[in-house]
Amino acid sequence: MTVADAVVIGSGPNGLVAANALADAGWDVVLIEASDRTGGAVRSEEVTVPGFVSDMFSAFYPLAAASPVIRDLHLEEHGLGWSHAPAVLAHALDDGRAAVLSRDPEVTAASVDGFAAGDGESWLRMFAEWQRVRDPILDALFSPLPPLVALVQVLRRVRLAGALDMARLGVLPVRRLAREWFDGDGAALLLTGNAMHSDVPPDAAGSGVFGWLLAMLGQDVGFPVPRGGAGRLAEALTRRAEARGALVQTGVPVTSVDVVAGRATGVRLLDGSVVRARRAVLADVAAPLLYRDLVGTDRLPPRLVRNLDRFQWDDPTIKVNWALDQPVPWRAAGARGAGTVHVGVDMDGFVDFSADLSTGREPRHPFLLFGQMTTADQTRSPAGTESAWAYTHVPRGVDWSGERLDRHVTRIHEAIERVAPGFRDSRLATHVQSPCDLERADVNLVGGCRQRRDVRHPPAARLPAGTRSRPPGDTDRWALPGQRVRSSRRRCPRCLRLECGAVRPQGRRAVGRGAAAGRSHRVGQGAQDLSDAERSAGAPPG
């Protein structure tokens, strides 16, 4: 039996950040992962053509670029490098125009001004207001809940009238926000497309603040990608945790959390072994899987069990990866240098697409997020080619396989062909990830969802700020929960006494994939052992 100060279940980025934080604090940490490698939904592979690296889940990381947590980890010392596309994002319309978000505010302003004179000036004014509140807003994102100090700093900067405007922004639909600020569709497309990354409908309350935040972050820090593939981020976090003394075990499914007298005391593995925790059990999996499968509803308050029944999963995802023999032949020049391109809909099309998802209709005109990964990072494929992907959401409760899946993939290709004639002919290989494929790769992507809408997260749980039912999705709020564990110590005396516990475990059926037997990496084994593990897992070249 292994004994440690803390056991971390699951090695997604939240779990990896938590393991690093606790190891920095001097704790003995054991991190347990069922899959054959760390990272969860931060993974890259060669699935199309050898030499073409595809990010299998999340890809762009604006919040990592803005995060003091990630900056303080100094992951560059453990092999991580960041890369940017020439432009952050574009929205390509069927008529050949494109709105472009650049890290240069003047370039963005010129793009949106092309849709309506004066909108460029309005964009610069919006960005100036962001700069005024940027630091306390980011402090709030990366602080334990409630972020009182950061909110006080915001109030000091904006005063009473500004505070009312900020409160209104928090509930404003993004379409309304865009119409109040801009006359043309260019800026509105950028705000609304970014809001759709959060999967909040464009006419829904709260979508405005998501669109504003991601657009301003893109304008400010860009949408960087890990050089060599998203998996490099997980590898760097793993190396750093091991260098601080953490024990990382892969290929070892956790089947249950031991609870004694209301306190989590350790975990049991599929092979029958037990890992005891002297001080904390943390989990990096979806909340329903934690409570129902690992802990068990018989140990939970009735109110919490009822809240779990109301837990709302996000809409499933279909993702397509391509190896292309040339850069994407966009009609709009502005799309050619963008790392992310939004495709398939105009302003009204956003609403129609969201209505299809809400009503369970098969979307005829899907909204696509298209990633040009070689444009963002030249190591992803040979010179003169492009490694690309696109994903779209589809209604839950539908069998997205067979002919229905093929039909929707055809729609995806048609949407891209409208804005990039000749795209079909440039394909060397196509690799499709259905909702079932996504869940098979990571059990936390239940039904193929990339995010969890846990706006009704059970208050009875009082989990200290690390519950992983939030998105990394294609962006990355993940850095925050794991780091919060240090500042949230002793704040959770009633939540199964998961002291200092950032919670997001996997089910009793097993955490992720992997056989019962697993590998262990300790500090002292060194980088060579980890490199061997990466090669055996098929990690992409750097």
Side-chain angles (χ1 to χ4, degrees):
M1 181 176 66
T2 303
V3 180
D5 290 326
V7 178
V8 180
I9 309 168
S11 68
N14 288 322
L16 287 169
V17 171
N20 274 278
L22 293 178
D24 286 349
W27 289 32
D28 292 329
V29 179
V30 175
L31 186 149
I32 304 171
E33 167 60 47
S35 182
D36 58 358
R37 75 188 88 170
T38 59
V42 179
R43 184 181 302 178
S44 46
E45 299 179 13
E46 295 183 6
V47 294
T48 53
V49 172
F52 285 73
V53 177
S54 299
D55 292 334
M56 304 309 295
F57 309 102
S58 61
F60 295 91
Y61 299 91
L63 281 168
S67 169
V69 174
I70 295 302
R71 186 167 56 249
D72 290 346
L73 293 177
H74 299 290
L75 294 177
E76 67 279 0
E77 298 175 4
H78 302 275
L80 180 66
W82 294 104
S83 182
H84 289 266
V88 177
L89 180 147
H91 190 113
L93 293 170
D94 289 2
D95 63 9
R97 295 179 298 163
V100 178
L101 180 66
S102 167
R103 282 185 289 165
D104 183 342
E106 296 291 341
V107 173
T108 308
S111 176
V112 301
D113 207 67
F115 285 78
D119 277 2
E121 183 179 343
S122 297
W123 183 272
L124 293 175
R125 190 170 70 253
M126 175 178 277
F127 184 60
E129 292 197 6
W130 156 258
Q131 289 178 308
R132 186 160 59 118
V133 297
R134 174 194 190 275
D135 291 341
I137 290 290
L138 292 180
D139 286 344
L141 286 174
F142 299 107
S143 299
L145 297 174
L148 298 178
V149 174
L151 292 177
V152 169
Q153 291 174 344
V154 172
L155 291 174
R156 285 176 177 171
R157 297 196 181 195
V158 301
R159 306 297 181 185
L160 178 60
L164 294 176
D165 288 339
M166 291 295 295
R168 184 169 181 269
L169 174 63
V171 298
L172 203 63
V174 69
R175 281 170 62 89
R176 179 64 185 176
L177 173 67
R179 292 305 172 217
E180 289 183 1
W181 277 81
F182 305 103
D183 293 326
D185 280 352
L189 289 166
L190 295 178
L191 290 172
T192 308
N194 275 291
M196 296 290 282
H197 284 242
S198 70
D199 300 320
V200 179
D203 280 331
S207 59
V209 71
F210 283 110
W212 171 79
L213 176 62
L214 271 182
M216 294 301 103
L217 276 174
Q219 181 73 92
D220 192 342
V221 300
F223 284 9
V225 301
R227 190 171 294 114
R232 299 301 189 196
L233 175 57
E235 292 163 12
L237 285 165
T238 302
R239 287 191 183 100
R240 188 187 185 281
E242 293 178 319
R244 297 302 191 276
L247 170 65
V248 179
Q249 295 180 269
T250 58
V252 187
V254 171
T255 58
S256 65
V257 174
D258 283 343
V259 179
V260 178
R263 179 185 176 86
T265 60
V267 300
R268 294 183 180 274
L269 310 183
L270 187 62
D271 62 6
S273 60
V274 176
V275 182
R276 292 294 178 208
R278 287 186 290 262
R279 304 175 70 177
V281 171
L282 300 88
D284 183 16
V285 299
L289 302 184
L290 161 63
Y291 290 121
R292 286 201 173 102
D293 298 341
L294 285 186
V295 174
T297 55
D298 56 318
R299 296 189 175 103
L300 301 176
R303 181 185 176 190
L304 177 52
V305 176
R306 290 195 299 272
N307 284 336
L308 286 174
D309 292 336
R310 295 196 293 267
F311 191 93
Q312 183 178 355
W313 295 102
D314 190 21
D315 295 308
T317 299
I318 294 174
K319 183 171 178 287
V320 186
N321 308 287
W322 296 280
L324 307 177
D325 65 6
Q326 64 177 9
V328 180
W330 300 105
R331 293 172 62 192
R336 294 168 193 164
T340 300
V341 185
H342 295 163
V343 174
V345 299
D346 56 14
M347 282 300 296
D348 290 338
F350 281 122
V351 178
D352 294 338
F353 174 70
S354 295
D356 288 339
L357 298 181
S358 297
T359 58
R361 293 192 301 259
E362 193 170 321
R364 301 293 178 180
H365 298 285
F367 168 58
L368 310 180
L369 283 85
F370 188 99
Q372 302 189 102
M373 303 316 298
T374 308
T375 298
D377 170 17
Q378 294 181 1
T379 71
R380 301 299 184 95
S381 68
T385 67
E386 185 72 66
S387 177
W389 53 256
Y391 82 78
T392 186
H393 286 300
V394 289
R396 182 165 287 279
V398 176
D399 178 11
W400 290 102
S401 63
E403 290 184 4
R404 181 178 282 111
L405 176 63
D406 293 342
R407 186 165 60 240
H408 213 64
V409 170
T410 297
R411 292 191 186 109
I412 291 172
H413 284 131
E414 290 171 347
I416 300 169
E417 191 73 21
R418 290 197 302 270
V419 293
F423 172 80
R424 281 194 182 99
D425 295 335
S426 70
R427 293 175 297 169
L428 296 173
T430 301
H431 174 267
V432 177
Q433 293 171 276
S434 71
C436 289
D437 293 330
L438 293 169
E439 183 172 4
R440 275 193 294 267
D442 185 339
V443 296
N444 288 289
L445 305 179
V446 175
C449 71
R450 289 164 58 96
Q451 306 191 48
R452 289 98 180 155
R453 299 178 189 170
D454 64 335
V455 292
R456 293 189 55 84
H457 193 283
R462 300 186 185 276
L463 301 175
T467 303
R468 162 65 183 112
S469 291
R470 296 187 176 275
D474 50 284
T475 54
D476 60 331
R477 188 165 174 177
W478 53 262
L480 136 78
Q483 181 64 10
R484 281 179 173 169
V485 295
R486 280 189 290 189
S487 54
S488 62
R489 228 174 293 164
R490 303 189 188 90
R491 300 183 95 188
C492 49
R494 290 179 294 206
C495 89
L496 295 178
R497 297 185 184 175
L498 292 174
E499 294 179 3
C500 178
V503 179
R504 180 206 157 186
Q506 287 10 50
R508 237 173 219 163
R509 50 185 166 177
V511 184
R513 299 178 299 163
R519 295 184 302 277
S520 299
H521 306 302
R522 283 187 185 274
V523 63
Q525 287 183 316
Q528 182 61 46
D529 283 353
L530 188 56
S531 298
D532 291 341
E534 291 163 5
R535 282 193 291 272
S536 68

